[in-house]
Amino acid sequence: MPKKSMRDALREALHEEMERDDSIIVLGEDVITHGGPYAVTRGIDEKFPGRIRQTPISEAGIVGTALGAALCGMRPVAEVMYVDFATCAMDEVVNQMAKVRYMFGGQTDVPVVLRLPSGSARLLAAQHSQCLEAWFLHVPGLQVVVPSTAYDAKGLLKTALRGKDPVLFMEYKRLYTNECEVPDEDYAIPFGQADVKREGRDVTIVATGPMVPKALEAADLLSPEGIEVEVVDTRTLVPFDKATVFASVGKTNRAIVTDEEVKRGGTSAEIASLIAEECFDALDAPVKRVAAAEVPMPFSPELEKLVVPKTEHLVAAARELVG
Amino acid sequence: MPVEAPSAEKLLDMYARMWRIRLFEEQAEYQSSQGKVMGALHTYIGEEGVAVPACAHLQDTDYITSTHRGHGHCIAKGADISRMMAELFGRSTGYCKGKGGSMHIADFQVGMLGANGIVAGGFGIATGAGLAAQLRGSGQVAVCFFGDGAANRGPFHENINIGAVWKLPVVYVCENNQFAQWTPQKDVTLVTDIANMSPAYGIPGVQVDGMDPLAVYEAAGEAIARARRGEGPTLLECKTYRFHGHNFGDPQQYRTREEIAEWSDNRDPIKQLAAHMRDAGILSDEQDADIQNTVQEEITAAVRFAESSPYPTPDELYKDVYSYDIG
């Protein structure tokens, strides 16, 4: 099976789905001239002329226009250059996109996908490095997807492009170049199905996005010590696959929840409280969380590295839980 | 390209629609005073001369977006007043199954893409509707109704610029009623003629007396035809006035009774259209009475429908959050 990067896998998903469905269009800043800052939309203009629109720097306009087109028969994929800039379109995301199906009594589908480059990378400091999943998973009506591998990214984007509801598709910048085996054949990964990336009996790490490879690394490091880690990749936060997470915790009786978001009020808080509420009797120890420091992202590499959670934090947390 | 004057039939239809809005709104206020209509209520009384003649150029396949003051746009675009009234009553037979209320009535069947509780909330939706129409080459147009208050929000700028640069078939219609909720426009805006903002976007700006339905008919007709021809958006400003408060119950301390009377006594768009039609020999006293009686009966029937409809059942709560069940 060929190996592909997440960037290439996402690009393939877009091309294949645009081939299949004429109503898919792409909007965003620099999406033609540069293929977006991470080159995901490169090549679309040549292959699908007229179906990609390079926009002004107007995030509210981009998201609002994408939503309007979605209500009128199109399937827009809007790239918001950095998830940080989605804050400039919060009315469109939170008050409009998330609400229109419900507040209009189910009169319309809302097939719009926002692609949102996220997380730390390249020392981009406070306004280009955030992880905002928790902001969005708090809002009923939105779906939140966070792939951790090229394979998952392609399959999940295909599902996003075939659905009827808004999707906030978090693309972690650090993962764009990560490669894995990705088949050439068509496949889609349903939402609401977490993936057990590694089986183990001693402790469960529930990981999201960029923390999945780190959790797997931690599992490799801990195995020789006799600590067998089970790594559950959430893949989608809304809808959320409670069953797989709870089954794993039921087996290992210990849980670490990890993501790259600021810890306070982050996704890890939601997942940890779900486990506490519904798996309390299965737990042999309190749930641990490994997430980012509660500060704006600093610029200097010496400071940035203190913010982003690392493999060693997971290793230490697992040792504490099992020891 | 001159806009053809409306036919007698068209004028009669417009006249009936304007009365439908007026009497619907009066009834909604009455029902609100009785505690039957709940929640916020923003009436369109006095502004009928904008939405009705503008929508007279549209088909069901064309799109409009609306505001928090949306009942007039719904009726102008052809929504059913019984389902509207049922929505105001919070009943399951309402347009939104009782989940939307006054500020969120929509009728996608007739291209009414929703009233909107967020000031300037319609700009993106209308611009996107225009993009969809342009990509399909369908000849559809989108009309974005908004108030003078919305012109001070960012989406006005971002979306008109996008509509202009892509030459989208969208007409941005400002209903300048001179008050942003309880604040006079002139207190918060130096450029009070919104049409004058159009050069910043490279599109035509047209200002018209929004109390004169025939003037609006002509100006909107030209702008909509221009959009259909693929020549892009127009910023059409209609100077208008709401005869009642921002919301039902508004004590209106920001304006005088004399000012309100000046507009409602002398510039009422319904009276102006009636006078024109009488002069043209299109409307007799008898016809006028017939139209008003018929509309009044429709309103009475709408209230009966709303009152006799059931409230939504608890199982509705988790429906329509997504396309799939989360119950």
Side-chain angles (χ1 to χ4, degrees), chain A residues 50 53 56 58-61 64-65 68-69 72 74 91 95-96 101-108 141-143 165 238, chain B residues 63 95-97 100 104 106-108 116 118 124-125 128-129 131-132 134-136 158-159 166 317 319-320 322-324:
Chain A
R53 289 285 173 104
S58 301
E59 286 79 13
T65 298
C72 297
M74 310 305 288
D91 171 52
N95 291 321
Q96 311 295 339
R101 178 189 291 278
Y102 194 82
M103 74 184 180
F104 297 155
Q107 290 188 53
T108 181
L142 302 176
Q143 299 180 115
D165 302 286
V238 184
Chain B
Y63 302 111
Y95 266 113
C96 312
K97 305 179 191 169
H104 304 300
D107 182 355
F108 279 64
N116 208 303
I118 303 296
I125 295 172
L131 175 61
Q134 185 186 66
L135 287 164
R136 281 196 289 266
E158 294 196 12
N159 288 287
W166 292 348
L317 186 63
K319 289 180 183 163
D320 304 319
Y322 300 96
S323 59
Y324 48 86

